Amino acid sequence: MPLTADQITRFLKSVHPYDALPEDALAALVPQFEPWAVEQDFPVYDLGDRLHGVFIVYEGKIEVRDDNDVVVSHLGVRNSFGERGLMRDGIAVTSARAETSSVLLVLPSGPFRKLVDTYDVARKFFDRTRSDRPQERSLTTTLVDTLMAHDPVTCAPDATVQDAARLMRDRGISSLCVMQDNALTGFLTIRDLSGKVLAEGRPVDTPVSDIMARDLLTLPPTAIGSDVLHAMMEHRIGHIPIVQGNKLVGVVTQTDLTRFQAVSSAELVGEIAHAATVADMAKVTARIPQLLVQLVAGGNRHEVVTRLITDIADTVTRRLLAMAEATLGPAPVPYLWLACGSQGRQEQTGVSDQDNCLVLHDDVTPEQMPYFADLAKIVSDGLDVCGYFYCPGDMMATNPRWCQPVRVWRDYFARWIAKPDPEAQMLASVMFDLRPIGGDESLFTGLQSGTLKAASKNSIFVAHMISNSLKHTPPLGLLRGFATIRSGENRNTLDMKHNGVVPVVDLARIYALQGQLTEANTRARLKAAEGAGVLSPSGARDLLDAYDLIAESRLDHQVARVKAGEKPDNFLAPTDLSDFERSHLRDAFVVVKTLQSALGHGKGMLG
């Protein structure tokens, strides 16, 4: 398949870590890529082959298998594979074949090694992702605290076995911790009920204390996943209580280990891509919180975690588009579904609403518009079922205002730029984060570049956008304290979205506007702004470090809530942090406030 340098460049700008490379480095790298068109079932490489390059899926699907011929992952568009082989003397440690007719971009081993040796972002990415490595190795680095159920179900020793059985049935669990005077005295499993009660014909009012296990093997929450696995294998048990001091803090089961090993972004993407119904997809997306826990526990940086989670939302959207077309028939004219907000920036976390729009070909007629209204409803309703709730501000393709031909969109942007009233500033801020998800991407290319050029040249519009971006301020109080929320259900917490990451997101958007930069991702924008001279090297370093700390703190908070059996949110209580953590988080907010002040006083170019 012939691909132009411009097509490859646009594609790589949507793929990490290439999107974080300096413009000149990316331009030099693009000619090194070799497009491969392969048919279904084509063996890309076999186990033990000498690899001569790393692969990126431009189009289609690839299946990767390990040395036991077990499927490790199903890879789709933008996924890389083969890099671990190149990092191990060039010998393939997996095999790969095309699940469908596919187009691959191949970066030869020489340029690949130079890329990894030259740029930290590439070295860190390929060292961390290891997409063709069996996932079970992560148990050797994962704390039990991440794996265990944090609120184990208990019963008293004098409870009857019938009561215990009913409790297990009603709670959908396979074991109970037996507690007396707040101390763990025994453990009961379904196997005990079947083997010691049912098989021996004991009465249903037999006390639990007669059949429970008493000599218990326990582990502390500082143990790692492999400790649990080894203990289970050695002692032939399927449940291990987790005890800190004399206090029961959790339970780990074989099911917990299996679930942890099974959850990966590639696995979820593969299941969604082949889901038959919206309900099937919703069951998959319900596992995103556990994926969040696993990714953070594995030491992945926030930009890797949010990108992988966003990939799942992208796949859900494309699957829903395919379902809509299967129901409604082929689209009457070309269209493009775009995401904005956190999905557009590839920065989704464990809690996200949907922000999207439709750009239609200018040939669309009024008689054809109902087709796209129906398509938008099918997709938007499906996203809501899958956990991406409706946008409170109705920034969705179901709103006729955001389902329009290219010419209308061009007029929208022209009017917002010419008359930057508050609504125009808000809408422009949202729409500058647009990213194509499914459909004809050519509908967006000229629209984006033309809008950026016109907007950057209108000093009044830029000034209004700067003013609008400074409305979200870091939560800094007097005397080195935090300004927490004063009332309501989130009282005494920090809003790590609107007062945490959003101020940096807004700054990065302004820098991108000033430099006519097409990147949507916040980190990529900051790096590009430094490369374009919009942001000084020292300003870029400080802001990137501050953003990383704020974003990591937000993810850590969401993970803590998931592990506690709660829904992830953005409201962090400073009292949950150590003095050290509070001090560094406040320093990060000070950096953001300083950059905001510089921008507000016309010093944004120097940062």
Side-chain angles (χ1 to χ4, degrees):
M1 173 182 179
L3 292 174
T4 66
D6 186 56
Q7 286 176 308
I8 296 175
T9 300
R10 288 203 308 271
F11 177 76
L12 291 179
K13 283 185 176 181
S14 70
V15 180
H16 198 64
Y18 307 99
D19 62 338
L21 297 177
E23 288 286 340
D24 57 345
L26 182 60
L29 193 64
V30 165
Q32 309 283 345
F33 279 91
E34 303 170 6
W36 277 21
V38 296
E39 296 298 325
Q40 184 176 1
D41 292 326
F42 179 85
V44 181
Y45 60 77
D46 290 320
L47 182 72
D49 282 355
R50 178 163 293 280
L51 295 175
H52 298 288
V54 62
F55 303 82
I56 309 175
V57 183
Y58 183 90
E59 184 178 292
K61 297 181 179 66
I62 301 295
E63 178 187 85
V64 177
R65 291 176 175 264
D66 64 13
D67 53 0
N68 294 313
D69 201 35
V70 174
V71 175
V72 175
S73 56
H74 299 276
L75 306 179
V77 175
R78 295 182 179 84
N79 289 143
S80 299
F81 63 102
E83 59 267 20
R84 292 305 300 161
L86 292 184
M87 290 180 171
R88 292 176 59 175
D89 301 322
I91 302 300
V93 294
T94 58
S95 62
R97 71 170 187 89
E99 284 191 82
T100 65
S101 295
S102 305
V103 177
L104 309 176
L105 292 181
V106 187
L107 181 63
S109 56
F112 171 74
R113 289 197 174 94
K114 183 178 179 181
L115 172 70
V116 172
D117 291 341
T118 305
Y119 297 99
D120 287 344
V121 65
R123 181 170 62 254
K124 290 177 181 178
F125 177 80
F126 288 114
D127 183 59
R128 284 182 181 275
T129 55
R130 303 180 183 182
S131 61
D132 53 0
R133 183 184 67 179
Q135 292 294 318
E136 63 267 23
R137 298 184 189 177
S138 62
L139 285 177
T140 64
T141 57
T142 302
L143 291 175
V144 164
D145 181 66
T146 297
L147 303 169
M148 70 185 188
H150 284 72
D151 189 19
V153 181
T154 65
C155 71
D158 58 357
T160 68
V161 292
Q162 184 176 48
D163 291 337
R166 286 172 174 167
L167 184 57
M168 290 189 203
R169 179 199 63 190
D170 294 344
R171 299 294 290 271
I173 55 177
S174 59
S175 62
L176 291 173
C177 294
V178 184
M179 304 290 290
Q180 186 170 31
D181 298 327
N182 294 320
L184 179 66
T185 59
F187 200 77
L188 183 71
T189 69
I190 285 181
R191 186 175 179 180
D192 293 325
L193 294 176
S194 63
K196 298 178 182 178
V197 179
L198 186 61
E200 295 179 6
R202 296 195 187 200
V204 295
D205 60 353
T206 300
V208 164
S209 57
D210 285 4
I211 65 168
M212 69 183 186
R214 295 178 180 273
D215 298 325
L216 304 180
L217 170 67
T218 65
L219 288 173
T222 53
I224 60 176
S226 57
D227 293 335
V228 176
L229 182 60
H230 294 164
M232 287 180 174
M233 297 297 289
E234 180 179 355
H235 298 279
R236 295 188 177 183
I237 55 178
H239 308 73
I240 296 182
I242 307 302
V243 176
Q244 188 169 33
N246 294 320
K247 182 181 179 183
L248 174 70
V249 294
V251 172
V252 178
T253 69
Q254 287 182 338
T255 301
D256 293 325
L257 296 186
T258 301
R259 184 184 299 116
F260 180 84
Q261 292 171 283
V263 175
S264 73
S265 60
E267 187 72 21
L268 268 59
V269 164
E271 291 183 33
I272 290 167
H274 297 93
T277 67
V278 174
D280 290 340
M281 283 193 286
K283 292 178 183 177
V284 180
T285 56
R287 290 150 56 193
I288 289 178
Q290 182 57 42
L291 173 65
L292 177 69
V293 172
Q294 177 173 331
L295 290 172
V296 173
N300 292 286
R301 288 175 56 89
H302 70 91
E303 68 269 24
V304 174
V305 174
T306 55
R307 183 176 294 268
L308 293 175
I309 290 178
T310 304
D311 283 347
I312 296 170
D314 291 354
T315 307
V316 170
T317 305
R318 285 190 285 268
R319 184 71 187 111
L320 288 169
L321 286 169
M323 288 180 173
E325 289 197 29
T327 300
L328 303 173
V333 297
Y335 71 87
L336 178 62
W337 184 282
L338 300 105
C340 42
S342 59
Q343 185 183 0
R345 296 189 304 273
Q346 295 179 295
E347 294 167 2
Q348 287 191 313
T349 62
V351 52
S352 295
D353 61 356
Q354 55 174 293
D355 298 282
N356 45 62
C357 64
L358 269 171
V359 176
L360 312 177
H361 194 280
D362 279 338
D363 288 345
V364 67
T365 65
E367 294 74 22
Q368 294 168 338
M369 292 300 291
Y371 173 95
F372 294 105
D374 291 341
L375 180 140
K377 180 171 175 52
I378 290 173
V379 176
S380 187
D381 287 351
L383 287 170
D384 182 67
V385 171
C386 291
Y388 306 97
F389 52 87
Y390 299 119
C391 174
D394 202 18
M395 186 67 66
M396 298 182 295
T398 49
N399 183 338
R401 190 179 184 185
W402 311 129
C403 178
Q404 293 292 335
V406 174
R407 63 179 181 275
V408 175
W409 280 103
R410 190 173 287 112
D411 182 61
Y412 282 166
F413 281 107
R415 284 191 284 114
W416 294 338
I417 293 168
K419 188 180 178 181
D421 57 28
E423 184 189 37
Q425 297 165 37
M426 183 274 292
L427 294 174
S429 295
V430 172
M431 295 302 176
F432 278 134
D433 294 349
L434 287 172
R435 182 171 61 87
I437 303 297
D440 187 346
E441 294 192 17
S442 68
L443 296 174
F444 183 61
T445 305
L447 178 64
Q448 181 188 40
S449 58
T451 300
L452 281 173
K453 185 176 181 180
S456 65
K457 290 183 177 181
N458 187 320
S459 59
I460 296 177
F461 175 77
V462 173
H464 279 279
M465 287 290 290
I466 290 174
S467 176
N468 187 62
S469 73
L470 301 180
K471 292 179 180 177
H472 292 109
T473 58
L476 293 170
L478 300 176
L479 303 176
R480 295 193 58 79
F482 291 111
T484 58
I485 297 172
R486 295 185 178 182
S487 61
E489 60 178 326
N490 299 311
R491 185 172 177 267
N492 296 327
T493 66
L494 304 174
D495 186 337
M496 294 299 288
K497 177 181 179 181
H498 291 104
N499 300 112
V501 296
V502 167
V504 186
V505 169
D506 289 344
L507 283 172
R509 187 185 298 113
I510 296 300
Y511 297 143
L513 175 60
Q514 291 175 329
Q516 299 183 39
L517 308 172
T518 58
E519 288 81 1
N521 177 264
T522 297
R523 234 182 166 278
R525 278 173 166 169
L526 294 176
K527 294 291 289 183
E530 178 188 6
V534 177
L535 187 60
S536 70
S538 61
R541 284 196 301 271
D542 287 346
L543 193 51
L544 281 166
D545 286 346
Y547 178 56
D548 288 344
L549 180 60
I550 294 166
E552 297 283 359
S553 299
R554 180 192 184 198
L555 282 185
D556 287 344
H557 165 70
Q558 292 190 2
V559 165
R561 286 187 61 86
V562 173
K563 288 160 65 174
E566 300 171 328
K567 290 184 178 181
D569 66 21
N570 294 301
F571 302 102
L572 170 65
T575 52
D576 291 341
L577 303 174
S578 67
D579 290 343
F580 180 85
E581 290 170 328
R582 284 196 296 271
S583 176
H584 280 270
L585 184 58
R586 189 182 189 283
D587 289 344
F589 289 143
V590 169
V591 169
V592 178
K593 184 65 176 178
T594 301
L595 268 294
Q596 283 186 327
S597 179
L599 189 65
H601 288 85
K603 300 176 183 178
M605 293 294 289
L606 297 176

